[in-house]
Amino acid sequence: MRPFFLALFASFCGFSTAHAASDDAAATGLTAAETAEGFVPLFDGRSLDGWVGLGGDTSSYYVQDGMLICKATGKVHIFTEKEYSNFVLRLQLKLDPGGNNGLGIRTQMSREPHIYGMELQILEDDYYADGDPIKLKDYQHHGSIYGVVPAKTGHLKPAGQWNDQEVIVNGRQVKVILNGTVIVDADLDQVQPIDGQDHPGLKYEKGHIGLHAHGNYGAEVFFRNMRIKELK
């Protein structure tokens, strides 16, 4: 191959590699700074690779335009194949009016991951503000550790807008930051269930991350830019 074509080929390969890296970053939301810090994608923006459905059923979720979407009628949870102990999880989420889901941390693959693990409530609070169709309990508002720790309210953006959420799980401490505000900061050794149920999952040291489908009111829930850094 002549020198000119060798140089052209090398230039093309370099462009292709850079273009692919740019596409991957756009699909996952990872910044160069986050990559340097040790963050990796939890969702690749294109598929459900790395996720499994309860009983092998992933039909409650689909992928479109870089988003992982829970169907309006979705009822079957999905979980990461991998288990995590201590981590920082960042994601963006958007809810249709009445949207209802859950973000599982340190969970077992179960129909009750809020019991066998912990569930951070994902809920479009405004839809339920008037008590119709249900009156929310304190621990059911968005970001709450379901059944255990109520979250501070008033920091979720209106339906149809993207929210930035960060979850830090380190030892016995769980912190939830929504759109720049800390809405949960809990020492698990200092809390007790308030929903009248046992919560053995509060003692788990590791488990799966889950997305819990609760499509009761015909509303979709959207996720994107899910990335995670494990803490040693």
Side-chain angles (χ1 to χ4, degrees):
M1 189 178 290
R2 295 181 180 179
F4 171 78
F5 291 107
L6 281 170
L8 183 62
F9 179 73
S11 175
F12 176 76
C13 287
F15 173 79
S16 297
T17 302
H19 187 67
S22 177
D23 284 350
D24 287 344
T28 62
L30 269 176
T31 65
E34 286 176 327
T35 300
E37 287 180 50
F39 281 89
V40 297
L42 196 65
F43 163 55
D44 66 12
R46 300 184 178 93
S47 70
L48 281 169
D49 287 355
W51 294 81
V52 293
L54 194 61
D57 181 2
T58 60
S59 63
S60 288
Y61 289 82
Y62 66 100
V63 177
Q64 179 177 292
D65 298 330
M67 298 178 291
L68 179 53
I69 305 170
C70 182
K71 295 178 180 177
T73 55
K75 295 290 182 69
V76 182
H77 308 332
I78 60 173
F79 302 88
T80 56
E81 293 177 346
K82 183 176 176 178
E83 290 187 306
Y84 297 88
S85 179
N86 301 316
F87 56 86
V88 179
L89 171 63
R90 294 174 180 168
L91 70 154
Q92 292 185 302
L93 59 93
K94 179 175 70 171
L95 300 102
D96 279 349
N100 188 4
N101 206 276
L103 176 63
I105 54 177
R106 293 181 179 168
T107 72
Q108 295 180 4
M109 291 188 187
S110 163
R111 295 184 186 280
E112 297 181 301
H114 67 295
I115 299 294
Y116 302 105
M118 289 172 279
E119 177 179 291
L120 305 179
Q121 177 77 316
I122 294 176
L123 193 77
E124 202 277 292
D125 284 347
D126 286 349
Y127 185 82
Y128 305 92
D130 61 358
D132 181 24
I134 59 172
K135 181 173 177 57
L136 297 180
K137 297 179 173 63
D138 289 345
Y139 59 76
Q140 291 178 309
H141 289 285
H142 180 85
S144 300
I145 303 178
Y146 191 93
V148 182
V149 179
K152 294 178 182 176
T153 59
H155 300 285
L156 187 71
K157 293 181 181 178
Q161 296 186 25
W162 286 102
N163 298 270
D164 291 291
Q165 185 158 306
E166 180 174 82
V167 179
I168 304 171
V169 181
N170 195 9
R172 303 298 294 157
Q173 201 75 22
V174 175
K175 182 179 287 188
V176 181
I177 305 167
L178 178 65
N179 298 319
T181 297
V182 176
I183 60 172
V184 168
D185 192 355
D187 180 344
L188 298 177
D189 289 329
Q190 301 298 318
V191 300
Q192 294 291 333
I194 54 178
D195 63 352
Q197 299 190 66
D198 291 330
H199 283 257
L202 292 173
K203 294 183 170 25
Y204 296 171
E205 295 183 356
K206 69 175 183 178
H208 303 276
I209 291 170
L211 296 178
H212 307 159
H214 304 304
N216 299 331
Y217 304 108
E220 289 192 319
V221 180
F222 305 80
F223 302 91
R224 70 181 183 188
N225 299 340
M226 302 179 72
R227 59 259 197 231
I228 192 167
K229 177 176 76 171
E230 294 188 76
L231 303 175
K232 306 299 183 185

